[in-house]
Amino acid sequence: MVSPTNFLLHAFLWLALAATAFSLSPNFYHNVCPQALPAIKRVVEAAVHKERRMGASLLRLHFHDCFVNGCDGSLLLDSTSSFETEKNARGNLNSVRGFEVVDQIKAEVDRVCRRPVVSCADILAVAARDSVVALGGPTWKVRLGRRDSTTASRTLADSVLPSASMDLPALINNFKNQGLNKRDLVALSGGHTIGLSQCVIFRNRIYNATNIDPAFAKERRATCPRTGGNTNLAPFDPTPARFDTAYFKNLVKERGLLTSDQALFSGGSTDKLVETYSKNPDAFWVDFGKSMIRMGNIKPLTGKQGQIRVNCRKVN
C-alpha cells in the first residue's frame, strides 16, 4: 500500500511536471519550426515600414486580447451564430486594427512551417514585441506555447477592458484583476509612447479637464472640435513613431492625451514611477519588457487546451 507521504510526493511531482510541460517557453518552436519567429519579424517589419502606426496597432491587439479571458487569440475571431466578436466591444469598435497584417503573418508562418503549428495567440505576442523593436524600443524573450480559444466574449470585453476615462484607483483595480501591479500599469501604459488616438476618446479631457496644460489643450482642440471630427487622430506624445520616454515627459507637464494617461501623474501613488521613467529610459525599457512578459502570461491555453487555428478569424 502506498503511504500518504509517498502519494503526496508523487502527486506533487506529477503536478510539477505537468506545469513544466504546459508552461510557456521562449524556445517552444525551436525544434518544431525554427523559421517561425524570423517569418513573423519579416512581415511585421514590412508592415511597420509601410505604415509606422501599425506598430502601435499590433501592440494594442496583444494587450486587448490578453485582458479578455487571457492571451488566447479570442480578439481575432469574427462573429458566429454562437458568439459575437470582441471586435464589437466598446474599447475595440472602430478602433482595434491590424487584422490584415495578422492574416499575412499567419499565411507566411504556415508557409515556412509547412503546416499550422504556430497559434494566432503566439503570433500576437511575438508581433507586439517585434513592433516595439521596429520602432526603436526594447526587446524581450517572448514566452511561447499558447493555444487558440474556440470562443470569444464581447460582454466580457465590455466589462474588463480599461477605459480612457478611468481614474487611478479604477486603473489600479482593473490591472489588479488581471494579476498585474502598479508598476505593470505604468510601464504598460508607456506603450502609448507610440500611436494615435481618436478625438472622440480624448474630447472630454481637452475641453473639461483642470489638470491639463492650457497650451496643449488649445493645440489638441484645433483638430478635435466640440462636435464632429470624432475620428480625427492625434498622437499620444510628440514622437508617435518612436518608442521613447516622451509619453512620460508629457505626463509630468500635464500633457497626457487621455484622462487615463494623466491619471498616472496627478498627485497619486504612481507619480514617482512616471518621473523615474521620464528621466531614465533604461528603467522604462527593462520594466516594459518584464511587464509585457507578465501580461503575456495571463491565463494561456496550453497543452491540449484550445486549438491551433488554421484561420485566425475562425474556429477550426
Side-chain angles (χ1 to χ4, degrees):
M1 186 177 160
V2 181
S3 76
T5 313
N6 268 348
F7 175 77
L8 285 170
L9 187 62
H10 279 107
F12 175 78
L13 283 171
W14 185 87
L15 283 169
L17 283 169
T20 308
F22 299 149
S23 64
L24 305 180
S25 156
N27 306 324
F28 189 83
Y29 296 109
H30 270 25
N31 297 326
V32 199
C33 181
Q35 309 93 321
L37 269 60
I40 297 173
K41 191 176 185 210
R42 275 196 307 277
V43 181
V44 169
E45 283 178 345
V48 173
H49 180 73
K50 186 178 168 190
E51 186 203 7
R52 305 292 278 173
R53 183 187 171 203
M54 188 52 71
S57 301
L58 292 172
L59 173 61
R60 190 158 176 253
L61 281 182
H62 180 44
F63 172 50
H64 281 222
D65 180 40
C66 289
F67 264 53
V68 185
N69 216 18
C71 313
D72 59 1
S74 59
L75 174 57
L76 304 174
L77 289 171
D78 289 334
S79 291
T80 68
S81 55
S82 327
F83 59 81
E84 186 182 356
T85 177
E86 290 169 18
K87 297 170 189 176
N88 291 344
R90 274 192 300 273
N92 291 333
L93 190 61
N94 301 322
S95 169
V96 283
R97 59 196 293 277
F99 299 106
E100 298 76 18
V101 176
V102 175
D103 292 339
Q104 287 168 23
I105 295 169
K106 178 68 173 157
E108 180 59 14
V109 167
D110 287 359
R111 186 187 70 78
V112 301
C113 297
R114 301 190 174 180
R115 64 195 195 286
V117 289
V118 181
S119 68
C120 302
D122 273 350
I123 284 172
L124 289 182
V126 177
R129 189 267 315 271
D130 291 348
S131 293
V132 168
V133 172
L135 293 173
T139 189
W140 59 92
K141 284 195 167 161
V142 181
R143 278 34 171 190
L144 299 163
R146 298 169 193 80
R147 288 169 67 85
D148 297 322
S149 70
T150 53
T151 188
S153 174
R154 181 208 164 151
T155 319
L156 186 63
D158 274 334
S159 68
V160 299
L161 286 173
S163 120
S165 59
M166 281 183 173
D167 61 10
L168 185 60
L171 287 165
I172 290 170
N173 193 49
N174 182 278
F175 274 63
K176 188 182 173 187
N177 290 339
Q178 300 288 353
L180 300 171
N181 60 30
K182 278 195 268 195
R183 189 171 289 269
D184 297 318
L185 164 63
V186 180
L188 292 171
S189 296
H192 281 178
T193 180
I194 52 176
L196 311 163
S197 182
Q198 296 182 32
C199 164
V200 67
I201 308 292
F202 61 82
R203 177 184 283 123
N204 186 49
R205 171 159 164 76
I206 62 171
Y207 285 101
N208 300 314
T210 50
N211 61 341
I212 191 166
D213 172 52
F216 174 70
K218 189 181 175 186
E219 190 185 328
R220 290 282 75 92
R221 287 173 192 161
T223 55
C224 182
R226 278 187 190 273
T227 52
N230 279 357
T231 56
N232 292 358
L233 297 169
F236 285 104
D237 75 15
T239 53
R242 193 163 72 235
F243 198 97
D244 54 23
T245 56
Y247 168 78
F248 295 109
K249 288 177 176 153
N250 256 18
L251 297 187
V252 173
K253 297 177 192 160
E254 295 196 319
R255 287 174 154 248
L257 186 61
L258 310 183
T259 300
S260 56
D261 290 325
Q262 197 57 57
L264 302 176
F265 191 84
S266 55
S269 58
T270 52
D271 281 18
K272 202 163 183 188
L273 196 51
V274 168
E275 277 199 62
T276 300
Y277 291 160
S278 74
K279 295 171 184 164
N280 187 339
D282 290 343
F284 169 46
W285 281 32
V286 167
D287 284 356
F288 186 80
K290 284 181 185 169
S291 292
M292 284 297 291
I293 290 168
R294 280 163 61 85
M295 184 181 78
N297 282 343
I298 297 174
K299 285 166 67 178
L301 298 172
T302 57
K304 295 218 160 60
Q305 300 170 312
Q307 59 182 213
I308 304 295
R309 279 184 222 141
V310 176
N311 175 343
C312 289
R313 296 171 185 259
K314 292 191 294 201
V315 173
N316 295 348

